[in-house]
C-alpha cells in the first residue's frame, strides 16, 4: 500500500495524464509545489514499487496497478469535497480540509461517506433539512 506521500504523487500523475495525456517531472513538481529532484526521487520509487514505468528523459506511464490506485485516489478526493460541501463547509476551506483528512480515513470510511453523499445528492428536501439542522445548531452555539 502506498504511503500518503506516494498517494499524492500517484493522484497528481493520474490527473495530469487524464487532462494532458502525459505527466512530466516538471508538471508534477509544479502541481505539488516541490522541487523536480524530489519528483524524480519519488518517481523512481513508484517505478520500483510497480505503480509506474519511468525512463529518464523519456517520461513515465502508470501501470495498471498505478491507474487503478490513481482512479481510486481521485474518487476519494472528489467524494470528500462533495461530502464537505453537503455538510456546509465553506467553499474556501474544502480543498485544504480534504488534503488534511484524505490520508487518514480507511477505505471503509470513504465508502460510508459515499453512502451519505448518495443519500443527500439531488434530494432537495434532505439537503434543506440538513441545512435547517446546521442553522439551529449554529444558533444554539451562539
Amino acid at each position: 500500500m502506498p504511503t500518503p506521500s506516494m498517494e499524492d504523487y500517484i493522484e497528481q500523475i493520474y490527473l495530469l495524464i487524464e487532462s494532458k495525456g502525459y505527466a512530466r517531472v516538471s508538471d508534477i513538481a509544479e502541481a505539488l509545489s516541490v522541487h523536480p529532484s524530489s519528483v524524480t526521487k519519488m518517481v523512481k520509487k513508484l517505478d520500483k514499487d510497480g505503480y509506474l514505468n519511468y525512463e529518464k528523459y523519456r517520461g513515465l506511464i502508470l501501470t495498471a496497478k498505478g491507474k487503478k490506485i490513481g482512479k481510486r485516489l481521485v474518487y476519494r478526493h472528489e467524494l470528500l469535497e462533495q461530502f464537505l460541501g453537503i455538510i456546509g463547509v465553506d467553499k474556501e476551506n474544502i480543498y485544504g480540509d480534504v488534503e488534511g483528512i484524505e490520508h487518514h480515513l480507511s477505505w471503509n470510511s470513504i465508502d460510508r461517506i459515499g453512502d451519505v453523499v448518495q443519500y443527500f445528492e439531488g434530494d432537495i428536501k434532505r439537503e434543506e433539512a440538513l441545512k435547517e439542522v446546521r442553522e439551529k445548531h449554529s444558533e444554539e452555539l451562539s
Side-chain angles (χ1 to χ4, degrees), residues 52-99:
L52 56 81
N53 293 318
Y54 172 68
E55 289 185 42
K56 193 172 183 177
Y57 306 119
R58 292 232 172 204
L60 56 94
I61 57 166
L62 290 170
T63 61
K65 176 181 172 180
K67 285 179 189 174
K68 181 179 178 182
I69 299 253
K71 185 175 185 176
R72 184 90 163 131
L73 295 172
V74 169
Y75 164 78
R76 176 181 70 186
H77 190 99
E78 292 173 351
L79 180 70
L80 289 171
E81 285 186 350
Q82 281 181 283
F83 176 70
L84 293 181
I86 287 170
I87 63 171
V89 173
D90 294 336
K91 286 184 187 234
E92 63 270 12
N93 296 331
I94 289 177
Y95 182 82
D97 287 352
V98 168
E99 287 297 312

Side-chain angles (χ1 to χ4, degrees), residues 4-138:
S5 181
M6 291 166 76
E7 286 183 347
D8 286 339
Y9 279 85
I10 294 168
E11 181 181 3
Q12 194 56 65
I13 291 166
Y14 182 88
L15 287 169
L16 285 166
I17 290 172
E18 286 293 302
S19 66
K20 296 173 72 171
Y22 60 90
R24 298 179 307 189
V25 167
S26 59
D27 297 325
I28 300 164
E30 182 179 334
L32 294 174
S33 300
V34 297
H35 292 286
S37 60
S38 298
V39 175
T40 300
K41 184 177 178 184
M42 179 59 82
V43 163
K44 287 178 181 178
K45 178 162 181 41
L46 293 170
D47 181 45
K48 180 179 159 264
D49 291 351
Y51 295 104
L52 56 81
N53 293 318
Y54 172 68
E55 289 185 42
K56 193 172 183 177
Y57 306 119
R58 292 232 172 204
L60 56 94
I61 57 166
L62 290 170
T63 61
K65 176 181 172 180
K67 285 179 189 174
K68 181 179 178 182
I69 299 253
K71 185 175 185 176
R72 184 90 163 131
L73 295 172
V74 169
Y75 164 78
R76 176 181 70 186
H77 190 99
E78 292 173 351
L79 180 70
L80 289 171
E81 285 186 350
Q82 281 181 283
F83 176 70
L84 293 181
I86 287 170
I87 63 171
V89 173
D90 294 336
K91 286 184 187 234
E92 63 270 12
N93 296 331
I94 289 177
Y95 182 82
D97 287 352
V98 168
E99 287 297 312
I101 65 173
E102 67 184 338
H103 301 294
H104 302 286
L105 295 172
S106 69
W107 285 105
N108 181 252
S109 293
I110 297 297
D111 290 340
R112 299 301 63 83
I113 288 170
D115 296 342
V116 172
V117 168
Q118 282 187 328
Y119 177 79
F120 282 100
E121 202 171 44
D123 190 320
I124 301 300
K125 288 181 183 179
R126 289 179 183 161
E127 290 180 19
E128 287 299 319
L130 181 60
K131 186 177 178 183
E132 287 175 19
V133 168
R134 267 196 324 264
E135 289 170 356
K136 182 179 177 188
H137 184 75
S138 291

